Amino acid sequence: TDVARSNQIKMKNLKTLVISDNRLTDSSVADFMRSGNFPNLESLDIGWNEVGNETAKAIGETTSFPGLKKLEMERGYIDLEALKEMVLGSLMDQLQELNLTANKLKDEGLKVLVSAPKWKALKVLKVSQNMFGDEGAKALGESSSLGGLTHLYAGRNYFGAEGAKAIYESKTLTGLKTLVLKEGVESDPGLVNYSRPELLRPDDPNSI
């Protein structure tokens, strides 16, 4: 928060920033997304923190990252209403890569994501481990907003053959070069979306 709000700290040459897995609170990450101190950032990883609704709303409002192309938000805590605000932000039209792995989007959240009138530049989308079933998979396969995708990762979700077929035989996702519909089941408890992320680290022996 101090760095984000600082009038002295300017990182105008910074292109890539990884602040994942730092036990950051939702409000502090939201402050970062509102900050104008990183104007030339192209790649940002804020995953494995307590990224939630305040951050999502800040992402929907921000105009501070005109060059941002890659946003990683793995294992977050965003609910449906905040997601609706996030996906309507101007940032969504400039992103080329978006990682929302392990965010518990479920069917309704995925439908909000894939139906947003955005994603003009998006090439890579990762929505693995988000608890969506056939309903969400069908919405993904029918999405006209995501027609520019070249890489889609949707494994470790709840859809079956019907949902997989809807994505695989999609008439709108015609540019895909990489499509992952099934992944090995992870047994590592550190990958699970918990309600108290500040207590966990991937290497924490007490994380079960």
Side-chain angles (χ1 to χ4, degrees):
T1 294
D2 288 343
V3 172
R5 294 181 178 180
S6 173
N7 292 322
Q8 286 78 40
I9 299 173
K10 307 289 183 181
M11 299 189 183
K12 295 181 180 179
N13 294 322
L14 197 66
K15 303 290 186 183
T16 301
L17 180 60
V18 178
I19 51 175
S20 60
D21 193 18
N22 270 291
R23 303 189 184 190
L24 302 179
T25 63
D26 188 24
S27 61
S28 67
V29 182
D31 281 337
F32 179 87
M33 297 310 304
R34 298 186 188 104
S35 174
N37 293 343
F38 308 86
N40 294 310
L41 208 60
E42 296 177 357
S43 177
L44 175 62
D45 185 350
I46 55 175
W48 291 82
N49 290 302
E50 201 173 347
V51 171
N53 297 337
E54 192 174 344
T55 297
K57 292 175 183 179
I59 291 173
E61 297 167 357
T62 190
T63 56
S64 299
F65 302 93
L68 194 66
K69 299 180 178 69
K70 182 178 182 179
L71 179 59
E72 299 199 53
M73 302 174 64
E74 185 167 350
R75 209 201 68 174
Y77 299 81
I78 301 170
D79 71 14
L80 188 61
E81 294 308 310
L83 180 67
K84 289 178 181 179
E85 295 184 45
M86 186 185 94
V87 299
L88 292 180
S90 59
L91 187 63
M92 302 303 107
D93 273 333
Q94 68 189 56
L95 289 179
Q96 295 179 9
E97 297 186 37
L98 177 60
N99 183 358
L100 287 170
T101 299
N103 271 268
K104 288 187 177 179
L105 296 181
K106 302 183 180 179
D107 286 326
E108 291 305 311
L110 194 73
K111 285 191 283 187
V112 166
L113 182 74
V114 304
S115 63
K118 294 289 180 175
W119 316 122
K120 293 177 182 177
L122 197 66
K123 301 295 182 185
V124 180
L125 177 62
K126 297 182 179 181
V127 287
S128 298
Q129 200 174 337
N130 267 290
M131 302 174 67
F132 63 87
D134 288 333
E135 187 179 349
K138 288 178 183 178
L140 181 55
E142 294 170 359
S143 173
S144 56
S145 301
L146 296 174
L149 284 185
T150 57
H151 297 73
L152 174 60
Y153 300 83
R156 284 181 284 147
N157 283 297
Y158 294 167
F159 59 82
E162 186 179 359
K165 184 178 180 181
I167 297 173
Y168 184 73
E169 297 182 355
S170 172
K171 292 179 172 59
T172 55
L173 307 180
T174 56
L176 289 178
K177 297 177 181 178
T178 298
L179 173 59
V180 177
L181 294 176
K182 185 177 181 181
E183 301 173 37
V185 177
E186 296 286 351
S187 59
D188 179 4
L191 286 173
V192 179
N193 183 311
Y194 284 91
S195 60
R196 296 291 304 279
E198 72 276 11
L199 301 180
L200 296 171
R201 289 177 57 86
D203 57 353
D204 183 356
N206 301 312
S207 62
I208 297 177

